[in-house]
Coordinates of all heavy atoms in Angstrom, one line a residue:
M1 N 0.8 -1.2 0.0 CA 0.0 0.0 0.0 C 0.9 1.2 0.0 O 1.9 1.3 0.7 CB -0.9 0.0 1.2 CG -2.2 0.7 1.1 SD -3.2 0.6 2.6 CE -4.1 -0.9 2.3
S2 N 0.5 2.2 -0.8 CA 1.3 3.4 -0.9 C 1.2 4.3 0.4 O 0.2 4.1 1.2 CB 0.9 4.3 -2.1 OG -0.3 4.9 -1.9
G3 N 2.1 5.3 0.6 CA 2.0 6.2 1.7 C 0.7 7.0 1.7 O 0.1 7.3 2.8
R4 N 0.3 7.4 0.5 CA -1.0 8.1 0.4 C -2.2 7.3 0.8 O -3.1 7.9 1.5 CB -1.1 8.6 -1.1 CG -1.0 10.0 -1.3 CD -1.4 10.3 -2.7 NE -1.2 11.8 -2.7 CZ -1.0 12.5 -3.8 NH1 -1.1 11.9 -4.9 NH2 -0.8 13.7 -3.7
S5 N -2.2 6.1 0.4 CA -3.3 5.2 0.8 C -3.4 5.0 2.3 O -4.4 5.0 2.9 CB -3.2 3.9 0.2 OG -3.3 4.0 -1.2
N6 N -2.2 4.9 2.9 CA -2.1 4.7 4.4 C -2.6 6.0 5.1 O -3.4 5.9 6.1 CB -0.7 4.4 4.9 CG -0.3 3.0 4.5 OD1 -1.1 2.1 4.3 ND2 1.0 2.8 4.4
I7 N -2.3 7.1 4.6 CA -2.7 8.4 5.2 C -4.2 8.5 5.1 O -4.9 8.9 6.0 CB -2.0 9.6 4.6 CG1 -0.5 9.5 5.0 CG2 -2.6 10.9 5.0 CD1 0.3 10.6 4.3
A8 N -4.7 8.2 3.9 CA -6.2 8.3 3.7 C -7.0 7.4 4.6 O -8.0 7.7 5.2 CB -6.5 8.0 2.2
M9 N -6.5 6.1 4.7 CA -7.1 5.2 5.6 C -7.1 5.7 7.1 O -8.1 5.6 7.8 CB -6.5 3.8 5.5 CG -7.0 3.0 4.4 SD -6.3 1.3 4.2 CE -5.9 0.8 5.9
L10 N -5.9 6.2 7.5 CA -5.8 6.7 8.8 C -6.7 7.8 9.1 O -7.4 7.9 10.1 CB -4.3 7.0 9.1 CG -4.0 7.6 10.5 CD1 -4.3 6.5 11.5 CD2 -2.5 8.0 10.6
L11 N -6.7 8.8 8.1 CA -7.6 9.9 8.3 C -9.1 9.5 8.3 O -9.8 10.0 9.2 CB -7.4 10.9 7.1 CG -8.2 12.2 7.1 CD1 -8.0 13.0 8.4 CD2 -7.9 13.0 5.9
G12 N -9.5 8.6 7.4 CA -10.9 8.1 7.4 C -11.2 7.5 8.7 O -12.3 7.7 9.3
A13 N -10.3 6.6 9.3 CA -10.6 5.9 10.5 C -10.6 6.9 11.7 O -11.5 6.8 12.6 CB -9.5 4.9 10.8
T14 N -9.8 8.0 11.6 CA -9.8 9.0 12.7 C -11.1 9.7 12.7 O -11.7 10.0 13.7 CB -8.7 10.0 12.5 OG1 -7.4 9.2 12.5 CG2 -8.6 11.0 13.6
L15 N -11.6 10.1 11.5 CA -12.9 10.9 11.4 C -14.1 10.0 11.8 O -14.9 10.5 12.5 CB -13.1 11.3 9.9 CG -12.1 12.4 9.5 CD1 -12.4 12.7 8.0 CD2 -12.3 13.7 10.3
V16 N -14.1 8.7 11.4 CA -15.2 7.9 11.8 C -15.1 7.7 13.4 O -16.1 7.7 14.0 CB -15.1 6.5 11.1 CG1 -16.0 5.5 11.7 CG2 -15.4 6.7 9.6
S17 N -13.9 7.5 13.9 CA -13.8 7.3 15.4 C -14.2 8.6 16.1 O -14.9 8.5 17.1 CB -12.3 7.0 15.7 OG -11.9 5.8 15.1
A18 N -13.9 9.7 15.6 CA -14.3 11.0 16.2 C -15.8 11.1 16.2 O -16.4 11.5 17.2 CB -13.6 12.2 15.5
G19 N -16.4 10.8 15.1 CA -17.9 10.9 15.0 C -18.5 9.9 15.9 O -19.5 10.2 16.6
A20 N -18.0 8.7 16.0 CA -18.5 7.7 16.9 C -18.3 8.1 18.4 O -19.2 7.9 19.2 CB -17.9 6.3 16.7
F21 N -17.2 8.7 18.7 CA -16.9 9.1 20.0 C -17.9 10.2 20.4 O -18.5 10.2 21.5 CB -15.5 9.6 20.2 CG -15.2 10.3 21.5 CD1 -15.0 9.5 22.6 CD2 -15.1 11.7 21.6 CE1 -14.7 10.1 23.8 CE2 -14.9 12.3 22.8 CZ -14.7 11.5 23.9
W22 N -18.1 11.2 19.5 CA -19.0 12.3 19.8 C -20.4 11.8 20.0 O -21.1 12.2 21.0 CB -18.9 13.3 18.7 CG -19.7 14.5 19.0 CD1 -19.3 15.6 19.8 CD2 -21.1 14.8 18.7 NE1 -20.4 16.5 19.9 CE2 -21.5 16.0 19.3 CE3 -22.1 14.1 18.0 CZ2 -22.7 16.6 19.2 CZ3 -23.3 14.6 17.9 CH2 -23.7 15.8 18.5
A23 N -20.8 10.9 19.1 CA -22.2 10.4 19.3 C -22.3 9.6 20.5 O -23.4 9.6 21.2 CB -22.5 9.5 18.0
A24 N -21.3 8.9 20.9 CA -21.4 8.0 22.1 C -21.3 8.9 23.4 O -21.9 8.5 24.4 CB -20.2 7.1 22.2
T25 N -20.7 10.1 23.3 CA -20.6 10.9 24.5 C -21.6 12.0 24.6 O -21.8 12.6 25.7 CB -19.2 11.5 24.6 OG1 -19.0 12.3 23.4 CG2 -18.1 10.5 24.7
A26 N -22.3 12.3 23.5 CA -23.3 13.4 23.6 C -24.6 12.8 24.1 O -25.1 11.9 23.5 CB -23.5 14.0 22.2
P27 N -25.1 13.4 25.2 CA -26.4 12.8 25.7 C -27.6 13.0 24.8 O -27.8 14.1 24.3 CB -26.6 13.6 27.0 CG -25.7 14.8 26.9 CD -24.6 14.5 25.9
G28 N -28.3 11.9 24.6 CA -29.5 11.9 23.8 C -29.3 12.0 22.3 O -30.2 12.2 21.5
V29 N -28.0 11.9 21.8 CA -27.8 11.9 20.3 C -27.3 10.6 19.9 O -26.3 10.1 20.3 CB -26.7 13.0 20.0 CG1 -26.4 13.1 18.5 CG2 -27.2 14.4 20.5
S30 N -28.0 10.0 18.9 CA -27.6 8.7 18.4 C -26.5 8.9 17.3 O -26.4 9.9 16.7 CB -28.8 8.0 17.8 OG -29.2 8.6 16.6
Q31 N -25.8 7.8 17.1 CA -24.7 7.8 16.1 C -25.4 8.0 14.7 O -24.8 8.7 13.9 CB -23.9 6.5 16.2 CG -22.8 6.5 15.3 CD -21.9 5.3 15.5 OE1 -22.2 4.5 16.3 NE2 -20.8 5.2 14.7
E32 N -26.6 7.4 14.5 CA -27.2 7.5 13.2 C -27.6 9.0 12.9 O -27.5 9.4 11.8 CB -28.5 6.7 13.2 CG -28.3 5.2 13.2 CD -28.0 4.6 14.6 OE1 -28.3 5.3 15.6 OE2 -27.4 3.5 14.7
A33 N -28.0 9.7 14.0 CA -28.3 11.1 13.8 C -27.1 11.9 13.4 O -27.1 12.8 12.5 CB -28.9 11.7 15.0
V34 N -25.9 11.6 14.0 CA -24.7 12.3 13.7 C -24.3 12.1 12.2 O -24.0 13.0 11.5 CB -23.5 11.9 14.6 CG1 -22.2 12.4 14.1 CG2 -23.8 12.3 16.0
F35 N -24.3 10.8 11.8 CA -24.0 10.5 10.4 C -25.0 11.0 9.4 O -24.6 11.5 8.3 CB -23.7 9.0 10.2 CG -22.5 8.5 11.0 CD1 -22.6 7.5 11.9 CD2 -21.3 9.1 10.8 CE1 -21.5 7.0 12.6 CE2 -20.1 8.7 11.5 CZ -20.2 7.7 12.4
A36 N -26.3 11.0 9.8 CA -27.3 11.6 8.9 C -27.1 13.1 8.7 O -27.2 13.6 7.6 CB -28.7 11.3 9.4
S37 N -26.7 13.8 9.8 CA -26.5 15.2 9.7 C -25.2 15.5 8.8 O -25.2 16.5 8.1 CB -26.3 15.9 11.0 OG -25.2 15.5 11.7
D38 N -24.2 14.6 8.9 CA -23.0 14.8 8.1 C -23.4 14.7 6.6 O -22.9 15.4 5.8 CB -21.9 13.8 8.4 CG -21.3 14.0 9.8 OD1 -21.4 15.2 10.3 OD2 -20.6 13.1 10.3
L39 N -24.2 13.7 6.3 CA -24.6 13.5 4.9 C -25.4 14.7 4.4 O -25.2 15.2 3.3 CB -25.5 12.2 4.8 CG -24.7 10.9 4.9 CD1 -25.7 9.8 4.9 CD2 -23.7 10.7 3.9
A40 N -26.3 15.2 5.2 CA -27.1 16.4 4.8 C -26.2 17.6 4.6 O -26.4 18.4 3.7 CB -28.2 16.7 5.9
F41 N -25.2 17.8 5.5 CA -24.3 18.9 5.3 C -23.5 18.8 4.0 O -23.4 19.8 3.3 CB -23.3 19.0 6.5 CG -22.3 20.1 6.4 CD1 -22.7 21.4 6.7 CD2 -21.0 19.8 6.0 CE1 -21.7 22.4 6.5 CE2 -20.1 20.8 5.8 CZ -20.5 22.1 6.1
N42 N -23.1 17.7 3.7 CA -22.3 17.5 2.5 C -23.1 17.6 1.2 O -22.6 17.8 0.1 CB -21.6 16.2 2.5 CG -20.4 16.2 3.5 OD1 -19.8 17.2 3.8 ND2 -20.2 15.0 4.1
A43 N -24.5 17.5 1.3 CA -25.3 17.6 0.2 C -25.7 19.0 -0.2 O -26.4 19.3 -1.2 CB -26.6 16.8 0.4
I44 N -25.4 20.0 0.7 CA -25.8 21.4 0.4 C -25.0 21.9 -0.8 O -23.8 21.8 -0.9 CB -25.4 22.3 1.7 CG1 -26.3 21.8 2.8 CG2 -25.6 23.7 1.4 CD1 -25.9 22.5 4.1
E45 N -25.8 22.6 -1.6 CA -25.2 23.2 -2.9 C -24.5 24.5 -2.5 O -24.9 25.2 -1.6 CB -26.3 23.5 -3.9 CG -27.0 22.2 -4.2 CD -27.1 22.1 -5.7 OE1 -26.7 22.9 -6.5 OE2 -27.7 21.0 -6.1
P46 N -23.4 24.8 -3.2 CA -22.7 26.0 -2.9 C -23.5 27.2 -3.3 O -24.3 27.2 -4.2 CB -21.4 25.9 -3.7 CG -21.7 24.9 -4.8 CD -22.7 24.0 -4.2
I47 N -23.3 28.3 -2.6 CA -24.0 29.6 -2.9 C -23.4 30.2 -4.1 O -22.2 30.3 -4.1 CB -24.0 30.5 -1.7 CG1 -24.8 29.8 -0.5 CG2 -24.6 31.8 -2.0 CD1 -24.7 30.6 0.8
T48 N -24.2 30.6 -5.0 CA -23.6 31.3 -6.2 C -24.0 32.7 -6.2 O -25.1 33.1 -5.8 CB -24.0 30.6 -7.5 OG1 -25.4 30.6 -7.6 CG2 -23.5 29.2 -7.6
C49 N -23.1 33.6 -6.7 CA -23.4 35.0 -6.8 C -23.9 35.3 -8.3 O -23.2 35.0 -9.2 CB -22.1 35.8 -6.6 SG -22.3 37.5 -6.9
P50 N -25.1 35.9 -8.4 CA -25.6 36.2 -9.7 C -25.1 37.5 -10.3 O -25.7 38.0 -11.3 CB -27.1 36.2 -9.4 CG -27.2 36.8 -8.1 CD -26.0 36.2 -7.3
A51 N -24.1 38.1 -9.8 CA -23.6 39.4 -10.3 C -23.1 39.4 -11.7 O -23.3 40.3 -12.5 CB -22.6 40.0 -9.3
E52 N -22.3 38.4 -12.1 CA -21.6 38.5 -13.4 C -22.6 38.7 -14.6 O -22.4 39.6 -15.4 CB -20.8 37.2 -13.6 CG -19.9 37.3 -14.9 CD -19.0 36.1 -15.0 OE1 -18.6 35.5 -14.0 OE2 -18.6 35.9 -16.1
P53 N -23.7 37.9 -14.7 CA -24.6 38.1 -15.8 C -25.3 39.5 -15.7 O -25.8 40.0 -16.7 CB -25.6 37.0 -15.8 CG -25.4 36.3 -14.5 CD -24.1 36.7 -13.9
M54 N -25.4 40.0 -14.5 CA -26.1 41.3 -14.3 C -25.2 42.5 -14.6 O -25.6 43.7 -14.5 CB -26.7 41.4 -12.9 CG -27.6 40.2 -12.6 SD -28.9 40.0 -13.8 CE -29.9 41.4 -13.6
N55 N -23.9 42.3 -14.9 CA -23.0 43.4 -15.2 C -23.5 44.2 -16.4 O -23.0 45.3 -16.6 CB -21.6 42.9 -15.4 CG -20.9 42.6 -14.1 OD1 -21.2 43.2 -13.1 ND2 -19.9 41.8 -14.2
V56 N -24.4 43.7 -17.2 CA -25.0 44.5 -18.3 C -25.7 45.7 -17.8 O -25.9 46.6 -18.6 CB -25.9 43.6 -19.2 CG1 -25.2 42.4 -19.8 CG2 -27.1 43.1 -18.4
L57 N -26.0 45.8 -16.5 CA -26.7 46.9 -16.0 C -25.8 48.1 -15.8 O -26.2 49.3 -15.7 CB -27.4 46.6 -14.6 CG -28.4 45.5 -14.7 CD1 -28.9 45.2 -13.2 CD2 -29.6 45.9 -15.5
I58 N -24.5 47.9 -15.7 CA -23.5 49.0 -15.5 C -23.6 50.0 -16.6 O -23.5 49.6 -17.8 CB -22.1 48.4 -15.3 CG1 -22.0 47.5 -14.0 CG2 -21.1 49.5 -15.2 CD1 -20.7 46.8 -13.8
G59 N -23.7 51.2 -16.2 CA -23.8 52.3 -17.2 C -25.3 52.7 -17.6 O -25.5 53.7 -18.2
Q60 N -26.2 51.9 -17.2 CA -27.6 52.2 -17.4 C -28.2 53.0 -16.3 O -27.8 53.0 -15.2 CB -28.5 50.9 -17.5 CG -28.1 50.0 -18.7 CD -29.1 48.8 -18.7 OE1 -30.2 48.8 -18.1 NE2 -28.6 47.8 -19.4
P61 N -29.2 53.8 -16.6 CA -29.9 54.6 -15.6 C -30.6 53.6 -14.6 O -31.2 52.6 -15.0 CB -31.0 55.4 -16.3 CG -30.5 55.4 -17.7 CD -29.7 54.2 -17.9
V62 N -30.4 53.8 -13.3 CA -31.0 52.9 -12.3 C -32.6 52.9 -12.5 O -33.2 51.9 -12.2 CB -30.6 53.3 -10.9 CG1 -31.2 54.6 -10.4 CG2 -30.9 52.1 -9.9
A63 N -33.1 54.0 -12.9 CA -34.6 54.1 -13.1 C -35.1 53.1 -14.2 O -36.2 52.7 -14.2 CB -35.0 55.5 -13.5
D64 N -34.2 52.7 -15.1 CA -34.6 51.8 -16.2 C -34.4 50.3 -15.8 O -34.8 49.4 -16.6 CB -33.7 52.0 -17.4 CG -34.0 53.4 -18.1 OD1 -35.0 54.0 -17.7 OD2 -33.3 53.8 -19.0
V65 N -33.9 50.0 -14.6 CA -33.7 48.6 -14.2 C -35.0 48.1 -13.8 O -35.7 48.6 -13.0 CB -32.7 48.6 -13.0 CG1 -32.6 47.1 -12.5 CG2 -31.3 49.1 -13.4
D66 N -35.4 47.0 -14.4 CA -36.7 46.3 -14.2 C -36.5 45.4 -13.0 O -35.9 44.3 -13.0 CB -37.1 45.5 -15.4 CG -38.4 44.8 -15.2 OD1 -39.1 45.0 -14.2 OD2 -38.9 44.1 -16.1
L67 N -37.0 45.9 -11.8 CA -36.8 45.2 -10.6 C -37.5 43.8 -10.6 O -37.1 42.9 -9.9 CB -37.3 46.0 -9.4 CG -36.7 47.4 -9.2 CD1 -37.3 48.1 -8.0 CD2 -35.2 47.2 -9.0
E68 N -38.5 43.6 -11.4 CA -39.2 42.4 -11.5 C -38.4 41.2 -12.0 O -38.6 40.1 -11.8 CB -40.5 42.5 -12.3 CG -41.5 43.5 -11.8 CD -42.2 43.1 -10.5 OE1 -42.4 41.8 -10.4 OE2 -42.4 43.9 -9.7
T69 N -37.4 41.6 -12.8 CA -36.5 40.6 -13.5 C -35.2 40.3 -12.7 O -34.5 39.4 -13.1 CB -36.2 41.0 -14.9 OG1 -35.4 42.2 -14.9 CG2 -37.4 41.2 -15.8
L70 N -35.0 41.0 -11.7 CA -33.7 40.8 -10.9 C -33.8 39.5 -10.1 O -34.9 39.2 -9.6 CB -33.4 41.9 -10.0 CG -33.1 43.3 -10.6 CD1 -32.9 44.3 -9.6 CD2 -31.9 43.1 -11.5
P71 N -32.7 38.7 -10.0 CA -32.7 37.5 -9.2 C -32.9 37.9 -7.7 O -32.3 39.0 -7.3 CB -31.3 36.9 -9.4 CG -30.5 37.9 -10.1 CD -31.4 39.0 -10.7
Q72 N -33.6 37.1 -7.0 CA -33.8 37.4 -5.5 C -32.7 36.7 -4.7 O -32.3 35.6 -5.1 CB -35.2 36.8 -5.1 CG -36.3 37.5 -5.8 CD -36.6 38.9 -5.3 OE1 -36.4 39.2 -4.1 NE2 -37.1 39.7 -6.2
P73 N -32.3 37.2 -3.6 CA -32.6 38.5 -3.1 C -31.7 39.6 -3.8 O -30.6 39.2 -4.3 CB -32.2 38.4 -1.6 CG -31.2 37.4 -1.6 CD -31.5 36.4 -2.7
F74 N -32.1 40.8 -3.7 CA -31.3 41.9 -4.3 C -31.5 43.2 -3.5 O -32.5 43.3 -2.7 CB -31.7 42.2 -5.8 CG -33.0 42.8 -6.0 CD1 -33.1 44.2 -5.9 CD2 -34.1 42.1 -6.2 CE1 -34.4 44.8 -6.1 CE2 -35.3 42.6 -6.4 CZ -35.5 44.0 -6.4
E75 N -30.6 44.1 -3.7 CA -30.7 45.4 -3.0 C -30.1 46.4 -3.9 O -29.0 46.2 -4.5 CB -30.0 45.4 -1.7 CG -30.2 46.7 -0.9 CD -29.7 46.6 0.5 OE1 -29.5 45.5 1.0 OE2 -29.4 47.7 1.1
V76 N -30.8 47.6 -4.1 CA -30.3 48.7 -4.9 C -30.0 49.8 -3.9 O -30.9 50.1 -3.1 CB -31.3 49.1 -6.0 CG1 -30.8 50.3 -6.8 CG2 -31.7 48.0 -6.9
Y77 N -28.8 50.4 -4.0 CA -28.4 51.4 -3.0 C -27.6 52.5 -3.7 O -26.9 52.2 -4.7 CB -27.8 50.8 -1.8 CG -26.4 50.2 -2.0 CD1 -25.2 50.9 -1.7 CD2 -26.3 48.9 -2.6 CE1 -24.0 50.3 -2.0 CE2 -25.1 48.4 -2.8 CZ -23.9 49.1 -2.5 OH -22.7 48.5 -2.7
A78 N -27.6 53.7 -3.1 CA -26.9 54.9 -3.7 C -25.4 54.8 -3.3 O -25.0 54.1 -2.4 CB -27.5 56.1 -3.1
H79 N -24.7 55.6 -4.1 CA -23.2 55.7 -4.0 C -22.8 56.1 -2.6 O -21.7 55.7 -2.1 CB -22.6 56.7 -5.0 CG -23.1 58.1 -4.7 ND1 -22.4 59.0 -4.0 CD2 -24.3 58.7 -5.1 CE1 -23.1 60.1 -3.9 NE2 -24.2 60.0 -4.6
D80 N -23.6 56.8 -1.8 CA -23.2 57.3 -0.5 C -23.8 56.4 0.6 O -23.8 56.7 1.8 CB -23.6 58.8 -0.3 CG -25.1 59.0 -0.5 OD1 -25.8 58.1 -1.0 OD2 -25.5 60.1 -0.2
G81 N -24.4 55.3 0.2 CA -25.1 54.4 1.2 C -24.3 53.1 1.3 O -23.3 52.9 0.6
E82 N -24.8 52.2 2.1 CA -24.3 50.9 2.3 C -25.4 49.9 2.2 O -26.5 50.2 2.6 CB -23.6 50.8 3.7 CG -22.3 51.7 3.8 CD -21.2 51.2 2.9 OE1 -21.1 49.9 2.8 OE2 -20.4 52.0 2.4
P83 N -25.1 48.7 1.8 CA -26.1 47.6 1.9 C -26.6 47.4 3.3 O -25.8 47.6 4.3 CB -25.4 46.4 1.4 CG -24.2 46.9 0.7 CD -23.8 48.2 1.3
R84 N -27.9 47.1 3.5 CA -28.4 46.9 4.8 C -28.2 45.5 5.3 O -28.1 44.5 4.5 CB -29.9 47.1 4.8 CG -30.3 48.5 4.5 CD -31.8 48.7 4.3 NE -32.1 48.0 3.0 CZ -33.3 47.5 2.7 NH1 -34.3 47.6 3.6 NH2 -33.6 46.9 1.6
G85 N -28.1 45.3 6.6 CA -28.0 44.0 7.1 C -26.6 43.3 7.0 O -25.6 44.0 6.6
E86 N -26.6 42.0 7.2 CA -25.3 41.3 7.2 C -25.0 40.9 5.8 O -25.8 41.0 4.9 CB -25.5 39.9 8.0 CG -25.8 40.1 9.4 CD -26.0 38.8 10.1 OE1 -26.1 37.7 9.4 OE2 -26.1 38.8 11.3
Y87 N -23.7 40.5 5.6 CA -23.2 39.9 4.3 C -24.0 38.7 4.0 O -24.2 37.8 4.8 CB -21.7 39.6 4.5 CG -21.2 38.9 3.2 CD1 -20.7 39.7 2.2 CD2 -21.2 37.6 3.1 CE1 -20.2 39.1 1.0 CE2 -20.7 37.0 2.0 CZ -20.2 37.8 0.9 OH -19.7 37.2 -0.2
R88 N -24.5 38.6 2.7 CA -25.2 37.5 2.2 C -24.6 37.2 0.8 O -24.8 38.0 -0.1 CB -26.7 37.7 2.1 CG -27.3 37.9 3.5 CD -28.8 38.2 3.4 NE -29.5 37.2 2.7 CZ -30.7 37.3 2.3 NH1 -31.4 38.5 2.5 NH2 -31.4 36.4 1.6
A89 N -23.9 36.1 0.7 CA -23.2 35.8 -0.6 C -24.1 35.7 -1.8 O -23.7 36.0 -2.9 CB -22.4 34.5 -0.4
E90 N -25.4 35.3 -1.6 CA -26.3 35.2 -2.7 C -27.1 36.5 -3.0 O -27.8 36.5 -4.0 CB -27.3 34.0 -2.4 CG -28.4 34.4 -1.4 CD -28.0 34.4 0.1 OE1 -26.8 34.2 0.4 OE2 -28.9 34.6 0.9
R91 N -26.9 37.5 -2.2 CA -27.7 38.8 -2.4 C -27.0 39.6 -3.5 O -25.8 40.0 -3.4 CB -27.8 39.5 -1.1 CG -28.5 40.9 -1.3 CD -28.7 41.6 0.0 NE -27.4 41.8 0.6 CZ -27.3 42.4 1.8 NH1 -28.3 42.8 2.5 NH2 -26.1 42.5 2.3
L92 N -27.7 40.0 -4.5 CA -27.3 40.9 -5.6 C -27.3 42.3 -5.1 O -28.3 42.7 -4.5 CB -28.1 40.7 -6.8 CG -27.8 41.5 -8.1 CD1 -26.4 41.1 -8.6 CD2 -28.9 41.5 -9.1
L93 N -26.2 43.0 -5.2 CA -26.1 44.4 -4.8 C -25.9 45.3 -6.1 O -24.9 45.0 -6.8 CB -25.0 44.6 -3.9 CG -25.0 43.8 -2.5 CD1 -23.7 44.0 -1.8 CD2 -26.2 44.3 -1.7
I94 N -26.7 46.3 -6.3 CA -26.6 47.2 -7.4 C -26.4 48.6 -6.8 O -27.3 49.1 -6.1 CB -27.9 47.1 -8.3 CG1 -28.1 45.7 -8.8 CG2 -27.8 48.1 -9.4 CD1 -29.4 45.5 -9.5
R95 N -25.3 49.2 -7.2 CA -25.0 50.5 -6.7 C -25.1 51.5 -7.8 O -24.7 51.3 -8.9 CB -23.6 50.5 -6.1 CG -23.1 51.8 -5.4 CD -21.8 51.6 -4.8 NE -21.5 52.7 -4.0 CZ -20.4 52.8 -3.2 NH1 -19.6 51.8 -3.1 NH2 -20.2 53.9 -2.5
F96 N -25.6 52.7 -7.5 CA -25.7 53.8 -8.5 C -25.1 55.1 -8.0 O -25.0 55.3 -6.8 CB -27.1 54.0 -9.0 CG -28.1 54.4 -7.9 CD1 -28.3 55.8 -7.7 CD2 -28.8 53.5 -7.1 CE1 -29.2 56.2 -6.7 CE2 -29.6 53.9 -6.1 CZ -29.9 55.2 -5.9
D97 N -24.6 55.9 -8.9 CA -23.9 57.2 -8.5 C -24.9 58.3 -8.4 O -26.1 58.1 -8.4 CB -22.8 57.5 -9.6 CG -23.4 57.8 -10.9 OD1 -24.6 58.0 -11.1 OD2 -22.6 57.8 -11.9
A98 N -24.4 59.5 -8.1 CA -25.2 60.7 -7.9 C -26.1 61.1 -9.1 O -27.1 61.7 -8.9 CB -24.3 61.9 -7.5
N99 N -25.7 60.6 -10.3 CA -26.4 60.9 -11.5 C -27.5 59.9 -11.7 O -28.2 60.0 -12.7 CB -25.5 61.0 -12.7 CG -24.5 62.1 -12.5 OD1 -24.9 63.2 -12.1 ND2 -23.3 61.9 -12.9
G100 N -27.6 58.8 -10.9 CA -28.6 57.8 -11.1 C -28.1 56.7 -12.1 O -29.0 56.0 -12.6
T101 N -26.8 56.6 -12.3 CA -26.3 55.6 -13.2 C -25.7 54.4 -12.4 O -25.0 54.6 -11.5 CB -25.2 56.2 -14.1 OG1 -25.8 57.3 -14.8 CG2 -24.7 55.2 -15.1
V102 N -26.1 53.2 -12.8 CA -25.5 52.0 -12.2 C -24.0 52.0 -12.4 O -23.5 52.0 -13.5 CB -26.2 50.7 -12.7 CG1 -25.5 49.5 -12.1 CG2 -27.7 50.7 -12.5
T103 N -23.3 51.9 -11.3 CA -21.8 51.9 -11.4 C -21.2 50.6 -10.9 O -20.0 50.3 -11.3 CB -21.2 53.0 -10.5 OG1 -21.7 52.8 -9.1 CG2 -21.7 54.4 -10.9
N104 N -21.9 49.8 -10.2 CA -21.3 48.5 -9.7 C -22.4 47.5 -9.4 O -23.5 47.8 -8.9 CB -20.6 48.9 -8.3 CG -19.6 47.8 -7.9 OD1 -19.4 46.8 -8.6 ND2 -19.1 47.9 -6.7
V105 N -22.1 46.3 -9.8 CA -22.9 45.1 -9.5 C -22.1 44.0 -8.9 O -21.1 43.6 -9.5 CB -23.6 44.6 -10.8 CG1 -24.5 43.4 -10.5 CG2 -24.4 45.7 -11.5
T106 N -22.4 43.7 -7.6 CA -21.6 42.7 -6.9 C -22.6 41.9 -6.1 O -23.8 42.0 -6.2 CB -20.6 43.3 -5.9 OG1 -21.3 44.2 -5.0 CG2 -19.6 44.1 -6.6
C107 N -22.1 41.1 -5.2 CA -22.9 40.3 -4.2 C -22.4 40.6 -2.8 O -21.2 40.9 -2.7 CB -22.9 38.8 -4.5 SG -23.8 38.4 -6.0
G108 N -23.2 40.4 -1.9 CA -22.8 40.6 -0.5 C -23.9 40.8 0.5 O -25.0 40.9 0.3

């Protein structure tokens, strides 16, 4: 067996042991629940930012942006403002300048 295979086996055994240890020591939590939650976590799709295809808005008057066609969630804010709330990787942010022209399209 190669060194890489030995490391992979050792790592896998360590992770399984750690999960079994946690499940055995956590009151009221079954080992099946721990492994099921691990599977659910690994099945989550990565969050994607929809900003790149929306870059066509840059240079357009913000008044001409059709809000009905924007991907949800989104926020439009002025050059002297900030997005509201916490960072959200999937939230489209459209910024416009003092003249009402879209200057930046990002996510956050």
Side-chain angles (χ1 to χ4, degrees):
M1 206 179 274
S2 73
R4 248 190 183 158
S5 297
N6 287 337
I7 291 171
M9 277 183 30
L10 180 61
L11 180 60
T14 302
L15 291 175
V16 169
S17 297
F21 173 76
W22 186 84
T25 58
V29 178
S30 70
Q31 187 172 359
E32 292 81 16
V34 172
F35 292 125
S37 68
D38 287 346
L39 290 174
F41 177 77
N42 290 327
I44 296 173
E45 302 230 356
I47 296 174
T48 57
C49 172
E52 189 174 334
M54 302 309 291
N55 280 336
V56 297
L57 298 175
I58 295 174
Q60 293 184 21
V62 72
D64 291 350
V65 175
D66 183 3
L67 302 181
E68 299 289 325
T69 63
L70 294 178
Q72 298 286 329
F74 71 88
E75 186 172 337
V76 179
Y77 66 101
H79 64 95
D80 57 351
E82 293 292 324
R84 295 173 291 155
E86 297 179 352
Y87 175 86
R88 294 177 58 193
E90 75 281 5
R91 178 177 55 181
L92 182 68
L93 299 173
I94 300 172
R95 185 176 188 169
F96 61 93
D97 64 14
N99 297 321
T101 302
V102 175
T103 58
N104 196 6
V105 178
T106 60
C107 287

